[in-house]
Amino acid sequence: PLNGSGGKSGDYINANYINIEVPGSGSVNSYIAAQCPLTITCADFWEMVWQQQITLVVSIQFYSLCTDWFVDC
């Protein structure tokens, strides 16, 4: 869990764990779905990425609010 040492916002990230079983394989793929971080939650977002040892970040954006979040964070 976040310890609040990141951004000014504290320890909350709007994100959910998703586990999907691969049929017939017995394995489970795990994901975290999150909204793009706001300016005040960028540090918390990257802290979550580091803590959870995430190796791939995929951004799917549908509105202009998040247009440059990856560059600006």
Side-chain angles (χ1 to χ4, degrees), residues 17-53:
Y17 289 103
I18 301 171
N19 295 308
I20 301 174
E21 184 176 348
V22 179
S25 72
S27 67
V28 175
N29 290 335
S30 298
Y31 306 91
I32 297 177
Q35 70 181 34
C36 63
L38 302 173
T39 302
I40 63 170
T41 61
C42 281
D44 296 321
F45 176 83
W46 289 114
E47 184 177 353
M48 174 190 68
V49 169
W50 178 77
Q51 284 180 352
Q52 299 301 312
Q53 300 177 357

